[in-house]
Amino acid sequence: ALRVVVSVGVSRVGFIHELALRTMRIPERFLTAIDGDPGNCVLIVGAGLSKQGVRRSGRGIPDWDELMHLMVTHLRDASRCSGKKLDALESLLQETPPRYLDVAEEFWLAHMDDRDGYESFLRQHLKPDDLSKSDLHTTILGIGFWGIVSYNFDLVFEKQSDRLNRIVYPDLLQQIGQFQRRGFFAKMHGCISGPATSLVLTRTSYENLRRDPRYRDLVRTVLFGHKVLCAGFSLRDPDFQSILEDLKEHWGPDLPPLYALLRDPGEDERAQWRKSGMDILPYDEHADVRQFFLALERLSLPATPPT
């Protein structure tokens, strides 16, 4: 239920409409879909949320594109690949969409004899020792979503709170019942606090996970039991593409709308995505993302008793 005080005579839908107009951040169709309450929604987050402002220097955690380029640079500097192979990896990153999973696969294979080096590289970039408080992530945790699913490996959310009800891959495959309880925080592809070798990062690890019947049951529980909002993704992210593939596999052409807070790709592209069941909530600047979540947080504030 909507947890704010509405003056007598103002309808619930009318209040939602007024809020949408006042903030210019939350489209009315999304507010209506969640019945004005973020508690009816599961938030799925990607690497873009941690791309800046989560370290004391103001920097962030690499997103997919940056991490893959860092991998290629590392292979070159360490002389782990031939020039021909490095050129091929660079070409994979130039394709549309970029073949990030294949680059990660080659990085993994290049470290077959040096798993410590593989661990060290990922911890260097995904587990920096200067993580700081993030207003954006703190706001998100205060909203009261039914649950949060993170496709990220980093510890940015954990830095904001030590009271998260964490469920982490691979253990989460044995804990599907936890996703039916309000307030879960799931690390869908693993966490850098565990062994880096267990992260779902390469082409092979992705394909193995999606074939696991326990994972398919988990996806049905999360994606098909709630309204879903994605944030922190780009249209090229393999995580984002994986979510779409999971939806299409279950629903076919009749899949329900999935909402995605994305940098505006333009009206034509938004229309194309709507045809495939993706309703893009566009923004222009990164600062708009926090404004969007601040507006959702206002909906979650405890009601003040009438006087």
Side-chain angles (χ1 to χ4, degrees):
L2 191 62
R3 288 168 287 175
V4 293
V5 174
V6 182
S7 60
V8 176
V10 178
S11 71
R12 191 162 185 254
V13 173
F15 175 78
I16 291 172
H17 178 70
E18 179 185 343
L19 179 67
L21 290 176
R22 186 169 65 249
T23 64
M24 300 300 291
R25 299 299 180 191
I26 309 180
E28 185 174 0
R29 63 187 185 279
F30 176 68
L31 286 168
T32 301
I34 65 173
D35 197 23
D37 183 1
N40 295 322
C41 180
V42 168
L43 176 68
I44 301 182
V45 300
L49 282 189
S50 301
K51 192 175 180 180
Q52 58 182 275
V54 299
R55 301 173 64 177
R56 287 194 294 271
S57 63
R59 294 184 297 157
I61 307 295
D63 61 6
W64 270 98
D65 193 66
E66 184 180 355
L67 185 63
M68 295 303 107
H69 280 93
L70 286 169
M71 284 183 175
V72 174
T73 298
H74 178 84
L75 293 176
R76 178 180 290 107
D77 292 346
S79 300
R80 285 190 168 273
C81 290
S82 66
K84 184 177 180 180
K85 171 65 73 174
L86 291 167
D87 290 342
L89 294 179
E90 293 281 7
S91 296
L92 293 178
L93 294 178
Q94 300 304 316
E95 293 189 18
T96 304
R99 291 168 58 182
Y100 295 139
L101 296 177
D102 294 310
V103 173
E105 183 87 14
E106 291 296 334
F107 188 81
W108 164 264
L109 294 174
H111 286 83
M112 290 293 290
D113 61 346
D114 183 21
R115 290 303 186 222
D116 287 343
Y118 181 83
E119 291 261 353
S120 177
F121 171 87
L122 290 176
R123 291 185 184 283
Q124 174 188 352
H125 295 292
L126 301 177
K127 193 182 179 183
D129 58 9
D130 65 341
L131 286 179
S132 63
K133 292 294 185 179
S134 163
D135 291 339
L136 172 60
H137 292 78
T138 299
T139 297
I140 289 172
L141 290 177
I143 287 174
F145 289 106
W146 180 270
I148 297 174
V149 175
S150 174
Y151 278 80
N152 301 341
F153 308 124
D154 61 62
L155 296 164
V156 176
F157 274 107
E158 289 89 331
K159 180 66 177 180
Q160 317 310 312
S161 173
D162 59 2
R163 301 177 64 185
L164 298 178
N165 180 21
R166 291 200 340 153
I167 321 168
V168 182
Y169 174 87
D171 294 342
L172 58 74
L173 295 177
Q174 308 288 345
Q175 302 171 318
I176 295 177
Q178 296 289 332
F179 289 83
Q180 298 173 335
R181 301 173 184 173
R182 188 174 185 135
F184 66 82
F185 179 82
K187 305 291 282 283
M188 190 69 84
H189 286 168
C191 182
I192 195 60
S193 63
T197 52
S198 70
L199 301 178
V200 181
L201 178 60
T202 65
R203 173 70 65 189
T204 297
S205 59
Y206 256 75
E207 291 175 351
N208 288 342
L209 179 62
R210 296 193 73 247
R211 283 195 295 265
D212 191 318
R214 296 171 300 173
Y215 176 75
R216 292 197 293 269
D217 288 343
L218 186 158
V219 168
R220 281 194 291 270
T221 298
V222 175
L223 297 185
F224 311 137
H226 308 87
K227 299 298 180 182
V228 175
L229 171 65
C230 298
F233 295 94
S234 78
L235 294 173
R236 306 188 307 173
D237 282 357
D239 292 329
F240 189 72
Q241 296 297 325
S242 176
I243 294 168
L244 294 179
E245 289 171 12
D246 289 331
L247 281 168
K248 291 176 182 177
E249 183 177 298
H250 183 83
W251 289 98
D254 301 319
L255 59 88
L258 182 74
Y259 296 92
L261 184 64
L262 290 168
R263 189 176 294 276
D264 193 352
E267 185 175 346
D268 291 342
E269 194 162 351
R270 293 201 306 271
Q272 288 299 316
W273 280 101
R274 276 196 298 272
K275 292 179 181 178
S276 62
M278 174 63 64
D279 191 341
I280 293 178
L281 311 179
Y283 68 88
D284 295 319
E285 304 293 337
H286 184 73
D288 295 337
V289 175
R290 184 167 183 242
Q291 292 303 315
F292 178 93
F293 285 115
L294 282 171
L296 280 182
E297 186 181 39
R298 294 186 193 105
L299 290 177
S300 303
L301 293 174
T304 302
T307 58

